[in-house]
Amino acid sequence: MPETALKGPISFVCPKCKSALRSTEKALQCSECNRTYPLVGDIPDFISESSSASIDPSDRGIRFFNILAPIYESWLWQTFFLALNGGAGKTSLQSIAGFMAETLRDVTGNVLDVACGPATYARRMVSPDRNIYGIDFSMGMLRQGKNHITRDGVSGVHLARTRVEELPFENAIFDGAICGGSLHLFPDTMLALREIARTLKAGAPLAVTTVVAGNSPGARSMKRHGGHAFELSELQQYLSETRFEGFTSKQDGTFITFSTRKAAPRI
Ligand SMILES: [Zn+2]
């Protein structure tokens, strides 16, 4: 039976109070708490209004990713996945994109791409029956993503600068989500997973690539730089506590791909 036609893009809501936003020429404004979020080109910036940039500890990280943006995809592939995590010869950008596409193969409607970088995977997952919402904390990455999207003539990818802990989306609005190479970088894994779960519909799949503990330069470097190198059991516990179920994983060295699903609500 044919699905109902794809609805237009969903509306962002205020990441703080989750109320509707009014659109002006250069900003989105919350109708409830009056916060104003500037538009950079057509990318809403949900971070600059609400944080004091000078004292934000993640600023250094943001600057690093802004500098990295133009070369991100080659860096991602050659350095991080292949060399650092012992997946050489087994893992590639293409194989990860393939894993994500496969996990979300039955998903139509709205897809969330958490920490999308320059829309690396989002651009490879577009289809006429999907809208993909890429969020990242680096405006440099998002602008690079916008350039790639324009260059490739891709449609259906929408970008916003926001933190994973405060997503500018209503509850249960996404039919699926991906999170490539960043779960171990979020300061509070549980908070991040809980917020992702909040925005997912029951049964919606989540595809993740991340780093697990082990003796690889990638895992050691992750610990040194304040990231997490998860024990597999720890990761599964986080997921179960944040209402995910059906964990399936594949590991190459200390690099892991896994899929899971938002559990149905408890009755
Ligand atoms: Zn608000």
Side-chain angles (χ1 to χ4, degrees):
M1 202 153 64
E3 288 284 315
T4 48
L6 182 68
K7 295 195 199 103
I10 57 179
S11 299
F12 293 109
V13 297
C14 176
K16 292 284 178 190
C17 72
K18 315 298 182 202
S19 299
L21 296 169
R22 276 194 305 271
S23 188
T24 67
E25 201 183 328
K26 291 196 169 128
L28 298 175
Q29 194 167 35
C30 180
S31 50
E32 196 60 36
C33 71
N34 281 324
R35 286 182 171 87
T36 299
Y37 304 104
L39 291 167
V40 180
D42 60 354
I43 303 174
D45 183 349
F46 291 107
I47 293 179
S48 65
E49 192 278 345
S50 55
S51 68
S52 170
S54 59
I55 57 162
D56 192 324
S58 60
D59 251 24
R60 216 169 40 150
I62 293 175
R63 276 200 295 276
F64 170 70
F65 280 107
N66 282 343
I67 293 163
L68 191 62
I71 56 156
Y72 178 74
E73 288 182 11
S74 58
W75 176 83
L76 176 81
W77 187 24
Q78 291 171 17
T79 307
F80 178 66
F81 289 125
L82 293 184
L84 288 185
N85 288 294
K90 298 174 194 159
T91 306
S92 67
L93 192 64
Q94 285 73 15
S95 74
I96 295 163
F99 155 74
M100 289 179 166
E102 176 62 17
T103 304
L104 270 67
R105 70 183 180 281
D106 299 327
V107 171
T108 59
N110 299 313
V111 173
L112 174 64
D113 182 354
V114 179
C116 63
T120 303
Y121 303 114
R123 294 186 344 256
R124 293 166 168 85
M125 293 181 69
V126 286
S127 75
D129 53 9
R130 276 184 190 157
N131 275 301
I132 302 182
Y133 293 80
I135 65 110
D136 204 280
F137 73 178
S138 159
M139 187 54 88
M141 285 285 182
L142 294 167
R143 294 179 86 143
Q144 189 67 37
K146 199 81 205 173
N147 291 342
H148 290 330
I149 287 164
T150 307
R151 179 198 66 195
D152 299 347
V154 169
S155 63
V157 180
H158 315 270
L159 304 175
R161 181 177 185 233
T162 186
R163 295 186 193 288
V164 65
E165 297 87 357
E166 287 181 338
L167 295 175
F169 303 106
E170 290 173 31
N171 296 350
I173 200 156
F174 289 109
D175 301 279
I178 62 172
C179 180
S182 55
L183 188 66
H184 49 278
L185 299 174
F186 301 144
D188 187 332
T189 313
M190 287 279 282
L191 197 59
L193 286 171
R194 195 169 287 129
E195 181 66 349
I196 294 167
R198 180 187 67 77
T199 67
L200 287 176
K201 295 177 184 173
L206 167 67
V208 177
T209 64
T210 188
V211 175
V212 289
N215 187 26
S216 75
R220 287 197 298 273
S221 156
M222 208 50 73
K223 287 241 157 160
R224 262 203 314 280
H225 293 99
H228 309 279
F230 302 109
E231 297 292 341
L232 202 55
S233 57
E234 180 190 9
L235 196 52
Q236 282 178 281
Q237 191 187 336
Y238 287 158
L239 288 163
S240 124
E241 285 180 26
T242 51
R243 309 284 297 118
F244 287 98
E245 63 185 12
F247 179 83
T248 308
S249 67
K250 183 171 174 289
Q251 202 172 328
D252 283 322
T254 54
F255 176 76
I256 186 172
T257 54
F258 73 82
S259 64
T260 184
R261 269 175 196 279
K262 166 85 178 282
R266 292 191 187 96
I267 302 169

